[in-house]
Amino acid sequence: MIRIKRQWFDLLKGEFDKDYFKNLQDFLRSEYTKYNIYPEEDKIFNALNHVPFDKIKVVIIGQDPYHEPNQAQGLSFSVPTEVTIPPSLVNIMQEIEKDLNITCKKDGNLERWANQGVLLLNTVLTVRKGQANSHKDKGWENLTRKIIELVGNREKPVVFLLWGSYAQSFANIIAPQHLVLKAPHPSPLSAYRGFFGCKHFSKCNQFLQELGETPIDWS
């Protein structure tokens, strides 16, 4: 069940040896046997497998995967190309277009961001079909907190985009050399409370350019 590239495996090996993770694996084996679970097992660690630890430029923290068929692909906010773009991602793209004065691709597959160094990390990496938060508090949060902690303590600066109070709860484990940008969640329920107009994407790219890094093509 741990299909993860060597660099990340080495960084997280200590977590994989802990009781909580062994219990999580037992739980997942049972769940994948009995129910429709998303994403597929080989995509659980997609976010990490797309971005080597030392290549991360930006971290976007989500909660749990989409829970309807054909949506989840192991990257927060992302859906496969042929799938209708979910409302939160529609709002993200709307803010990008206004902030950067560009036109986004009408494609919800964010592998194009991940391949540039954007870590699209949900804090819970699996979900039961049709049941949001069904794998909450089963152990994933321990592992993903460790991932955020590792990146947050990395010497080379990173941009953290923390949308919503849950994502913002991780701000206290992020070291001061990083840029932490906070806004309400892009969900239709909260985007109008300050996500629209936050200009996170231009601020992110300005920070990266000041570091001598290539900015992210958010289109």
Side-chain angles (χ1 to χ4, degrees):
M1 193 157 291
I2 305 175
R3 295 185 176 93
I4 189 170
K5 290 189 175 175
R6 172 56 60 180
Q7 185 192 38
W8 279 110
F9 182 86
D10 290 343
L11 286 166
L12 296 170
K13 188 178 185 309
E15 299 300 303
F16 298 148
D17 290 337
K18 291 180 179 177
D19 286 343
Y20 85 82
F21 193 80
K22 293 172 183 175
N23 292 337
L24 173 62
Q25 283 192 293
D26 290 341
F27 168 76
L28 291 173
R29 286 189 194 98
S30 174
E31 287 285 289
Y32 274 97
T33 301
K34 295 177 183 176
Y35 304 102
N36 289 324
I37 304 299
Y38 304 131
E40 295 93 340
E41 287 185 56
D42 62 346
K43 294 180 180 174
I44 291 174
F45 289 106
N46 248 2
L48 302 184
N49 289 335
H50 267 88
V51 191
F53 177 76
D54 55 339
K55 301 295 184 186
I56 297 170
K57 295 180 179 179
V58 183
V59 179
I60 298 178
I61 297 174
Q63 293 189 1
D64 66 339
Y66 296 120
H67 54 264
E68 296 303 330
N70 306 314
Q71 290 184 313
Q73 56 176 172
L75 304 171
S76 63
F77 294 101
S78 180
V79 292
T81 297
E82 66 277 4
V83 174
T84 301
I85 300 175
S88 291
L89 184 52
V90 169
N91 288 341
I92 291 169
M93 291 178 167
Q94 186 176 325
E95 174 60 21
I96 290 170
E97 291 186 336
K98 191 166 184 182
D99 183 15
L100 300 177
N101 195 27
I102 61 174
T103 300
C104 288
K105 299 175 179 70
K106 303 307 176 191
D107 182 349
N109 189 339
L110 303 184
E111 288 179 344
R112 61 187 184 275
W113 296 359
N115 292 335
Q116 298 176 75
V118 181
L119 181 64
L120 296 162
L121 183 69
N122 283 318
T123 54
V124 173
L125 300 186
T126 53
V127 69
R128 198 184 289 180
K129 178 184 177 181
Q131 298 182 39
N133 291 317
S134 49
H135 286 185
K136 184 175 181 287
D137 298 329
K138 301 298 183 184
W140 279 128
E141 293 90 342
N142 296 322
L143 180 69
T144 52
R145 183 179 178 85
K146 181 63 177 180
I147 293 166
I148 294 165
E149 206 169 60
L150 285 168
V151 182
N153 285 320
R154 201 184 77 172
E155 187 175 343
K156 188 176 180 182
V158 168
V159 182
F160 285 83
L161 302 183
L162 305 183
W163 300 331
S165 57
Y166 181 70
Q168 290 163 23
S169 70
F170 294 97
N172 64 347
I173 59 170
I174 298 170
Q177 68 267 28
H178 304 297
L179 177 64
V180 177
L181 298 174
K182 300 178 183 179
H185 195 277
S187 139
L189 298 174
S190 55
Y192 289 94
R193 297 180 195 153
F195 178 79
F196 289 133
C198 69
K199 299 187 181 297
H200 279 187
F201 304 95
S202 58
K203 291 174 183 176
C204 170
N205 279 354
Q206 180 182 347
F207 183 78
L208 292 174
Q209 286 177 300
E210 288 170 357
L211 293 172
E213 295 280 356
T214 305
I216 304 299
D217 176 1
W218 293 107
S219 65

